[in-house]
């Protein structure tokens, strides 16, 4: 029933879950982004490992070889990697702005500040003015 | 190979925000891609994962600081349970999947044989990845290029580029003479190599995405070893912004060109005398557009992050 | 003829592997950063050279050979420079080598070498 | 056969370097391990190309040789500019 032929999926699932776990538990926003990256790469690996054919070689035509791996997943992942770095940089830019607005990149501290800003408006007037002033800069 | 990565990830959970390990992780990943025959993907992962993303991560960490305060450890167990259950369900789901390297898997049945068997004749270039990327799935690639461009616009509108007015004193002896001499030696070769990858992508692994990243890496090396002022004088961000947009325009313009020639959008067969020549020309132009956009985007991202870090200190 | 080439490339590859392994053991076992760097950077260059030699002997004369030669040249240029930059950064940010000599003799030495 | 042996040896070396990257007490140990790892990756790809009898893929190895250098330089620059607290002085 359980065959070892499926191990590539298990590795992918393990990576995916590790990334997911980092994403949930970690407190630091940059670490969350790294977790997201790991999640992303697990998807890359899923595609690439599905494209592999036993006995095939890289999909660049040469004389006398007829068994190639599937080029389609390669194309999808190739573009996905470049898009992935672009989106990662967007996330990092957001982190920088958060750091400038809140002075922190710890998730719980940011949530705390939000709480104060939302519920304690009367007594924390200056605090909110601070953060909104910083974010509109 | 796969086991190495999993170990790396298990340990990565324990070590906090160590970008070094994510660099190693991406090197490993690229190794795995090579062993799984995905040379083009390994190429991209090599240049993007180990080079650019490490640099950007470090720039951000430099701005936000290294310190990590651990959250109070009450909520460790629940996520672990959630993750384990999700993983178990996914593992159960794989029981019906085709076995690894099975040539009869559904993924290899529908369009893939057409790409493999027909593309060397139809497009006339041996690298199937390039032909699929630029010709058969040209719409997808155009979308990806636009996404990259949109991300660039997002980053620029979020943090922007602050041009430095600090002119380095050229009369002083340089701080790192050996590195600067090395960089002077290396940069021409890197740029030459980027051009080789750009225009040799039809025959070997390579193409616009990889070449763009490699080209921008040369400029990043220059900026790192000399100064930010020098880097920005060499590649002024204003011009880079225009070039990034024009890369996308080249791509879209090729589509319009094919329409004007009487074909459909991004059908290059009408561009040349024969359909193979047309495809060849179209792919070259498209790859050039992609390379231009990617290279300028990566440079602008780098400048944006680095100048942000400098202006704060 | 073929046998000789095979044998030579076997020898080259094995020497390369042995050097690489010794470097790896060095980087793992040594107690201090500078000795680790010493172990790693010195073995790396020769290891690259021998393995590339073994591969060149196998590939014959073709484009692959040229690429291999390029690879060796690049690694030889970049490897020592990277090690140099690494040592420099480590030294300047305050990671001092632990020498077997006494404190009095180490500190002027450290100053004179910068 | 000989390529298989070499590949295996390189894999072992990579594993040891990885261990140093995990353990490495200071930042520089990790950078050193990454550098070594990169060099060995270059060799691995070169040898693997011969192992699978498609040695045309040395381009990737070349890219690694370049990128690895630049990565190390970038890391060092950032470490110099923003020295990590309390990570540099223990060995």
């Amino acid at each position: 029933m359980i065959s070892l032929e499926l191990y590539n999926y298990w590795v992918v699932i393990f990576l995916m879950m590790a990334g997911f776990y980092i994403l949930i538990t970690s407190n630091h926003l940059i670490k969350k982004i790294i977790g997201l990256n790991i999640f992303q790469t697990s998807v890359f690996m899923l595609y690439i490992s599905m494209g592999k054919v036993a006995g095939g070689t890289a999909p660049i035509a040469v004389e006398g070889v007829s068994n190639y791996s599937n080029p389609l997943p390669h194309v999808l992942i190739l573009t996905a990697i470049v898009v992935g770095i672009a989106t990662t940089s967007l996330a990092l830019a957001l982190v920088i702005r958060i750091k400038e607005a809140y002075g922190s990149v710890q998730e719980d501290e940011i949530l705390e500040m939000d709480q104060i800003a939302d519920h304690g408006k009367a007594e924390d007037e200056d605090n909110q003015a601070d953060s909104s002033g910083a974010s509109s800069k | 190979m796969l086991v190495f990565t999993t170990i790396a990830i298990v340990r990565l959970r324990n070590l906090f925000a160590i970008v070094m390990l994510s660099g190693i992780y991406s090197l490993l990943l690229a190794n795995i891609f090579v062993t799984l025959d995905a040379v083009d993907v390994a190429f991209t992962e090599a240049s993007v994962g180990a080079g650019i993303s490490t640099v950007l991560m470090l720039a951000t960490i430099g701005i936000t600081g290294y310190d990590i305060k651990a959250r109070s450890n009450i909520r460790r167990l629940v996520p672990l349970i959630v993750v384990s259950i999700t993983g178990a369900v996914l593992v159960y789901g794989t029981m019906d999947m085709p076995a690894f390297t099975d040539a009869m898997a559904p993924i290899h049945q529908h369009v893939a044989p057409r790409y493999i068997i027909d593309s060397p004749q139809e497009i006339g270039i041996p690298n199937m990845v390039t032909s699929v990327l630029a010709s058969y799935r040209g719409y997808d690639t155009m979308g990806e290029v636009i996404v990259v461009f949109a991300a660039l616009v997002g980053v620029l509108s979020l943090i922007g580029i602050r041009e430095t007015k600090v002119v380095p004193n050229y009369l002083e002896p340089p701080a790192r003479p050996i590195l600067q001499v090395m960089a002077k030696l290396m940069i021409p070769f890197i740029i030459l190599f980027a051009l080789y990858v750009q225009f040799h992508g039809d025959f070997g692994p390579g193409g616009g995405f990889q070449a763009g990243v490699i080209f921008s890496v040369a400029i990043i090396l220059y900026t790192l070893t000399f100064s930010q002022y020098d880097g920005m004088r060499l590649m002024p961000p204003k011009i880079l912004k225009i070039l990034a947009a024009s890369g996308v325009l080249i791509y879209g313009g090729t589509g319009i060109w094919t329409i004007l020639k009487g074909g459909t959008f991004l059908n290059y067969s009408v561009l040349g005398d024969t359909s193979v020549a047309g495809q060849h020309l179209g792919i070259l132009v498209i790859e050039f557009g992609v390379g231009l956009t990617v290279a300028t985007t990566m440079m602008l991202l780098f400048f944006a992050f680095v100048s942000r870090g400098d202006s704060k200190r | 003829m073929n046998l000789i080439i095979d044998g030579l490339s076997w020898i080259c590859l094995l020497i390369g592997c042995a050097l690489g392994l010794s470097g790896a053991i060095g980087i793992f076992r040594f107690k201090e950063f500078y000795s680790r760097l010493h172990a790693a950077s010195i073995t790396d260059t020769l290891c690259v050279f021998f393995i590339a030699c073994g591969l060149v002997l196998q590939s014959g004369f073709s484009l692959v050979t040229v690429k291999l030669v390029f690879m060796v040249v690049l690694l030889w240029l970049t490897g020592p420079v990277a090690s140099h930059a690494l040592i420099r950064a480590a030294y300047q940010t305050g990671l001092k080598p632990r020498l077997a000599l006494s404190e009095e003799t180490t500190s002027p030495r450290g100053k004179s070498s910068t | 056969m000989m390529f298989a042996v070499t590949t295996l040896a390189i894999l072992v070396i990579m594993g040891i370097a990885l261990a140093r990257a995990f353990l490495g007490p200071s930042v520089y140990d990790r950078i050193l391990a990454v550098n070594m790892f990169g060099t060995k990756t270059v060799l691995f790809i070169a040898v693997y190309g011969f192992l699978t009898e498609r040695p045309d893929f040395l381009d990737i190895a070349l890219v690694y040789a370049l990128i690895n250098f630049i990565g190390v330089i970038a890391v060092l620059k950032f470490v110099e500019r923003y020295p990590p607290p309390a990570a540099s002085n223990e060995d």
Side-chain angles (χ1 to χ4, degrees), chain B residues 1 4 7-8 11 15 18 20-21 24 27-28 30-31 34-35 39 42-43 46-47 50-51 54-55 58-59 62 66 176 179 182 186 190 193 196 205 214 217 221 224-225 306 309-310 313, chain D residues 11-12 14-15 17-18 21-23 27 30-31 33-34 37-38 41 44-45 48 56-57 59-60 62-71 73-75 77-85:
Chain B
M1 283 317 299
F4 270 151
I7 295 169
R11 299 306 298 254
L15 296 163
I18 305 292
M20 303 285 44
L21 279 185
I24 287 193
L27 284 174
L28 262 176
N31 265 348
V34 171
T35 54
V39 278
F43 218 135
S47 40
T54 313
V55 172
L58 280 168
Y66 287 86
R176 301 175 187 72
L179 273 188
M182 257 318 287
M186 297 263 300
I190 299 178
F193 189 65
Y196 166 77
I214 295 169
V217 155
L221 178 63
L224 283 174
T225 47
V306 167
D310 274 355
R313 295 274 156 155
Chain D
L11 284 181
V12 171
M14 285 164 99
L18 202 59
F22 294 148
L23 297 173
V27 184
R30 293 182 207 279
I31 300 174
V34 171
F37 203 89
T41 309
F44 175 81
I45 290 175
Y48 190 82
D56 324 337
F57 305 141
D59 295 351
I60 311 175
L62 282 172
V63 171
Y64 272 105
L66 294 172
I67 297 288
N68 190 33
F69 174 67
I70 290 157
I73 297 298
V75 171
K77 281 283 286 190
F78 282 108
V79 168
E80 270 180 9
R81 190 179 295 164
Y82 313 103

